[in-house]
Amino acid sequence: FFFFFIKMSPSVQCVIGPNKVIDIVSTHDQLLGGNDNQVYQGAIFPANTQYNITLAAEGKKIANLLADKGALGRFAIDFITVLQSDGSWKHYAIEINLRKGGTTHPLLMLQFLTDGKYNADTGEYLTASRHKRFYFASDNVSGEKYKGLTPDDLIDISIFHNLMFDGATQEGVMFHLIGALSEYGKFGLLCVGSSPEKAKAFYDKTIQIMNLECVNPV
């Protein structure tokens, strides 16, 4: 019998408020890339339903220790989460980032757009109207063919293809880091959906449309 270990790279984002009040504001599955597969590329929110509740519980243990030592404000804890032979998941904390990080701004964007909140006890994010929302976010979408495209071009393309976030349905795509688009061919995006699959579909559709709309310079 052979058991192949499956490893994930989730994170927990916490806020320690006055009087040591702790809020677990999110869990994410981090998307890693680069030559050594250790460069942050983006994130899926919330983290996998198989382990996001136990992951948040481990994050809260660490937050309690930090609060006792006088830490205050927003921070994130990176984990390696490994599937065990009995089907459970074991979490190994590997890094604490005492600052805002790559998972901060997509979460804040979602909160501003939907006026919702993450419940660490259920592993769900609910909007103000009590609807579940998920996102697939990246701050590192890039390509040579995107160079020379202006932010206005990007918005025009997204509106034409009905990609932009819709306030009525509270689904769709929001762009950021678009100041780097023209010179570096790089931008970020937040894809919000009523299911993880729909959020990822918004991302795939956006990349497909961008690649069709843009051509490499001659």
Side-chain angles (χ1 to χ4, degrees):
F1 174 75
F2 295 95
F3 178 73
F4 297 95
F5 286 102
I6 297 176
K7 294 183 292 185
M8 306 296 289
S9 299
S11 68
V12 178
Q13 192 176 134
C14 315
V15 175
I16 301 176
N19 301 320
K20 299 182 180 179
V21 176
I22 294 170
D23 187 15
I24 306 300
V25 296
S26 72
T27 61
H28 288 83
D29 280 320
Q30 299 184 93
L31 307 174
L32 304 177
N35 294 332
D36 57 0
N37 205 37
Q38 293 297 310
V39 179
Y40 177 80
Q41 303 284 327
I44 299 169
F45 170 81
N48 194 306
T49 55
Q50 295 184 44
Y51 54 72
N52 62 22
I53 295 175
T54 58
L55 179 71
E58 292 299 310
K60 191 165 187 178
K61 292 178 185 177
I62 297 171
N64 280 319
L65 290 173
L66 290 175
D68 288 340
K69 293 182 179 296
L72 189 68
R74 186 182 295 266
F75 64 96
I77 308 159
D78 291 339
F79 288 84
I80 294 293
T81 292
V82 182
L83 178 63
Q84 305 299 297
S85 58
D86 63 357
S88 65
W89 294 83
K90 191 167 184 178
H91 310 295
Y92 300 90
I94 60 171
E95 184 178 20
I96 301 173
N97 295 301
L98 296 173
R99 55 176 172 77
K100 294 179 180 178
T103 57
T104 303
H105 66 272
L107 177 68
L108 292 178
M109 288 172 69
L110 180 68
Q111 290 176 330
F112 290 145
L113 291 167
T114 65
D115 194 26
K117 184 175 175 60
Y118 181 67
N119 186 330
D121 293 331
T122 63
E124 297 175 340
Y125 178 92
L126 297 180
T127 68
S129 54
R130 308 297 293 173
H131 293 105
K132 294 181 184 179
R133 284 297 178 270
F134 307 80
Y135 66 65
F136 189 101
S138 176
D139 59 8
N140 198 24
V141 178
S142 61
E144 287 292 320
K145 64 175 65 177
Y146 304 151
K147 289 184 178 179
L149 200 69
T150 68
D152 286 344
D153 293 333
L154 177 63
I155 301 304
D156 286 344
I157 290 171
S158 63
I159 291 175
F160 180 81
H161 290 281
N162 199 30
L163 293 172
M164 288 295 288
F165 183 85
D166 185 332
T169 64
Q170 295 193 321
E171 293 184 290
V173 181
M174 289 291 289
F175 297 94
H176 55 94
L177 298 176
I178 58 178
L181 179 59
S182 185
E183 184 175 358
Y184 300 103
K186 181 179 178 179
F187 63 94
L189 73 172
L190 171 74
C191 303
V192 181
S194 55
S195 68
E197 295 77 17
K198 197 164 185 181
K200 181 59 164 56
F202 274 120
Y203 175 84
D204 292 339
K205 183 180 179 181
T206 302
I207 300 303
Q208 180 186 29
I209 287 171
M210 290 294 293
N211 290 338
L212 287 174
E213 290 282 359
C214 302
V215 294
N216 287 312
V218 178

